[in-house]
Amino acid sequence: MAITASSTAPATLASVTLEVADPGAARSFYSAFGVDGYIRLRASDAPSTGFRGFTLALTVSGPATVDGFVAAAADAGATVLKPATKSLWGYGGVVRAPDGTIWKIATSAKKDTGPANRDIDEVVLLLGVEDVKATKQFYVGRGLTVAKSFGGKYAEFAIGGSGPVKLALYKHRALAKDLGVTPDGTGSHRIVIGSTGDSFIDPDGFAWEAVQS
């Protein structure tokens, strides 16, 4: 049954915390990569194998900027899962950070209209879920507002408050295929989503934790 309302405090995405084995090393990597302003880090030794069910996606201005971010990540120790290349939708590549988090860097532009830079236009936390429609309704019940929705394939929520990251949903297997990894994984997602509302766990096991406003 669809969820249309909730008695809990409305939630918006306030922060993204990655759980890593070595926060010091992760901090150095993300500083070199250029995304340290968008995430938080927390020490964790929770078991986690295979695909963790999510990616963080950067949208930038052009192919040269994509190349710059991919190169910076690789130079800092990331594994390139998919080298940057042209596609039907633009140009992009995928890397896996030393802590295991997968990042996608992309642009809708197929040609550069200016020099490469280190600017990030948008960061999206893309959760791979089993049932996009059901999970979308779950989040609507938690107070999130749908900005875009394409049936049972994809849903995107409006940014609320001052959080720098947008939330979106995609089919789990489709997301794994897009990232170039197998869909299987066990254990912790190794991510905690900061909530302006209450703490909760979503239908796919992603943890939201109440944060101070």
Side-chain angles (χ1 to χ4, degrees), residues 129 131-140 157 169 202-204:
V129 302
D131 188 329
V132 171
K133 287 184 178 180
T135 302
K136 178 183 68 176
Q137 287 303 109
F138 173 85
Y139 280 120
V140 168
F157 299 94
L169 310 174
D202 84 354
D204 295 271

Side-chain angles (χ1 to χ4, degrees), residues 33 57-58 60 65-66 69-70 91-95 103-107:
F33 185 20
L58 311 181
V60 298
T65 299
V66 170
F69 274 101
V70 171
Y91 184 86
V94 180
V95 300
W103 293 77
K104 181 175 182 178
I105 308 96
T107 177

Side-chain angles (χ1 to χ4, degrees), residues 131-134 136 148-156 169 171:
D131 188 329
V132 171
K133 287 184 178 180
K136 178 183 68 176
K148 296 179 183 178
S149 182
F150 299 95
K153 296 182 178 180
Y154 177 84
E156 184 178 290
L169 310 174
K171 292 284 289 185

Side-chain angles (χ1 to χ4, degrees), residues 19-208:
E19 296 188 325
V20 300
D22 185 338
R27 193 169 294 110
S28 295
F29 169 80
Y30 287 117
S31 177
F33 185 20
V35 299
D36 49 321
Y38 294 90
I39 58 168
R40 301 177 182 181
L41 300 170
R42 176 186 298 173
S44 174
D45 58 1
S48 181
T49 62
F51 182 41
R52 295 179 183 173
F54 75 92
T55 189
L56 283 155
L58 311 181
T59 301
V60 298
S61 61
T65 299
V66 170
D67 290 339
F69 274 101
V70 171
D75 289 346
T79 300
V80 177
L81 297 179
K82 295 180 75 172
T85 187
K86 288 183 180 180
S87 70
L88 180 64
W89 307 108
Y91 184 86
V94 180
V95 300
R96 180 159 46 209
D99 65 85
T101 302
I102 297 175
W103 293 77
K104 181 175 182 178
I105 308 96
T107 177
S108 60
K110 296 186 179 181
K111 294 183 179 180
D112 288 304
T113 57
N117 57 59
R118 297 290 287 166
D119 298 333
I120 297 171
D121 296 333
E122 183 178 71
V123 179
V124 179
L125 170 60
L126 194 53
L127 304 182
V129 302
E130 291 302 320
D131 188 329
V132 171
K133 287 184 178 180
T135 302
K136 178 183 68 176
Q137 287 303 109
F138 173 85
Y139 280 120
V140 168
R142 284 281 169 176
L144 275 71
T145 300
V146 176
K148 296 179 183 178
S149 182
F150 299 95
K153 296 182 178 180
Y154 177 84
E156 184 178 290
F157 299 94
I159 291 180
S162 59
V165 180
K166 181 182 293 184
L167 178 69
L169 310 174
Y170 200 38
K171 292 284 289 185
H172 180 95
R173 287 186 173 274
L175 179 58
K177 182 178 180 180
D178 182 59
L179 298 174
V181 298
T182 59
D184 301 320
T186 61
S188 172
H189 290 296
R190 287 291 191 100
I191 187 172
V192 176
I193 306 168
S195 167
T196 57
D198 299 327
S199 298
F200 61 91
I201 305 293
D202 84 354
D204 295 271
F206 288 99
W208 287 64

